[in-house]
């Protein structure tokens, strides 16, 4: 590594910008365990920089579980009032991403409000975390990007193909807008969010729009009605599922 020191020792840590302390070094095969509950970075190639009161760890390569890290920066802007900030992006199996989210602090906070979701295909996870090293709560937000995945909701017997879109999450919320998919071969659009329903309980609200025949919507029951009702119609369906 390299170290640069320009300025009087008596004025360190140079908060007024009158001088400079900087140390840079590289690490191969690194492990970064930035906060409990989130998957740690492994096999990392890192560039680490201390600059006056700030610390920055930037990743050139690495793994989160069985996913490849495309971008990960861990930084502390002021070591005297430390808040760890994490910005990351990883791409890998959608099932792994969903499992990691379920096991994370955000997933555990949502608990039974999360659906039993099965994902096939690759997905991209984006993380933006602020983790104070004092009693203040963490701030968590991120997205899961789907690009042609298959989704299954076994309890509702729903299967979606070629799913494209973005699901957003925080430490207490989950939402998506304009998710595009195929349901029984027909194109649809989906949205979902967690909202407070009757009796103050949270519920998962799902919205579906598309042009569907009764067979598409109801399966065998709809097929039995085809001698009496045929053709497709523009449908908007709302489903509210109480959690817990």
């Amino acid at each position: 590594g390299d170290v640069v020191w320009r300025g009087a020792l008596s004025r360190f840590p140079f908060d007024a910008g009158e001088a400079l302390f900087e140390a840079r070094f590289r690490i191969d095969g690194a492990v970064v365990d930035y906060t409990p509950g989130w998957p740690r970075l492994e096999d990392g190639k890192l560039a680490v920089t201390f600059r006056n009161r700030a610390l920055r760890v930037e990743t050139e390569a690495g793994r989160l579980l069985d996913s490849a890290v495309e971008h990960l920066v861990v930084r502390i802007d002021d070591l005297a009032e430390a808040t760890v900030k994490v910005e990351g992006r990883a791409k890998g199996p959608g099932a792994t991403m969903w499992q990691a989210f379920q096991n994370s602090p955000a997933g555990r906070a949502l608990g039974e409000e999360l659906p039993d979701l099965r994902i096939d295909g690759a997905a991209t996870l984006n993380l933006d975390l602020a983790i104070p090293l004092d009693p203040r709560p963490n701030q968590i937000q991120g997205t899961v990007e789907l690009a042609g995945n298959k989704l299954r909701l076994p309890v509702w017997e729903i299967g979606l193909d070629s799913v494209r879109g973005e699901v957003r999450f925080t430490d207490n919320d989950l939402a998506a807008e304009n998710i595009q998919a195929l349901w029984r071969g027909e194109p649809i659009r989906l949205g979902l969010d967690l909202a407070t329903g009757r009796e103050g309980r949270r519920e998962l609200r799902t919205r579906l729009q598309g042009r569907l025949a009764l067979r598409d919507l109801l399966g065998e029951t709809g097929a039995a009605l085809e001698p009496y009702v045929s053709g497709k119609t523009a449908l908007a369906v709302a489903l509210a599922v109480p959690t817990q």
Side-chain angles (χ1 to χ4, degrees), residues 13-136:
F14 311 137
D15 291 329
E18 73 279 15
L20 173 66
F21 166 73
E22 184 173 272
R24 296 174 177 265
F25 55 92
R26 300 177 62 82
I27 304 176
D28 290 329
V31 173
V32 181
D33 198 352
Y34 43 87
T35 188
W38 291 98
R40 66 185 193 175
L41 172 76
E42 298 182 332
D43 294 336
K45 292 186 177 181
L46 308 181
V48 181
T49 304
F50 287 92
R51 185 179 178 91
N52 296 338
R53 286 187 188 267
L55 165 66
R56 182 181 178 90
V57 180
E58 194 160 1
T59 303
E60 297 176 357
R63 292 186 300 106
L64 292 177
L65 301 175
D66 56 354
S67 302
V69 173
E70 297 182 345
H71 167 76
L72 183 71
V73 174
V74 181
R75 75 180 199 273
I76 298 175
D77 295 330
D78 186 344
L79 290 165
E81 300 178 2
T83 296
V84 181
K85 297 181 179 180
V86 180
E87 299 173 3
R89 179 180 177 89
K91 187 173 184 179
T96 299
M97 300 291 187
W98 183 248
Q99 187 65 48
F101 174 68
Q102 286 179 305
N103 295 336
S104 73
R108 292 197 301 271
L110 292 170
E112 295 181 9
E113 296 174 349
L114 289 177
D116 178 19
L117 184 63
R118 314 288 170 82
I119 305 178
D120 294 330
T124 301
L125 173 67
N126 296 283
L127 273 181
D128 190 347
L129 312 178
I131 308 159
L133 302 183
D134 58 33
R136 289 175 296 164

Side-chain angles (χ1 to χ4, degrees), residues 38 101 104-111 113-114 137-142 168-175 193-196 202-204 243:
W38 291 98
F101 174 68
S104 73
R108 292 197 301 271
L110 292 170
E113 296 174 349
L114 289 177
N138 296 343
Q139 297 178 14
I140 301 170
Q141 61 182 2
R168 304 185 307 277
F169 62 86
T170 67
D171 52 333
N172 60 12
D173 201 7
L174 185 73
D193 62 275
L194 286 167
T196 302
R202 298 246 281 179
E203 57 189 25
L204 181 65
T243 60

Side-chain angles (χ1 to χ4, degrees), residues 169-200:
F169 62 86
T170 67
D171 52 333
N172 60 12
D173 201 7
L174 185 73
E177 298 175 2
N178 198 30
I179 299 290
Q180 300 179 31
L182 294 177
W183 185 7
R184 295 172 178 160
E186 296 295 330
I188 61 169
R189 287 186 294 146
L190 283 172
L192 62 86
D193 62 275
L194 286 167
T196 302
R198 291 166 293 183
E199 301 178 359

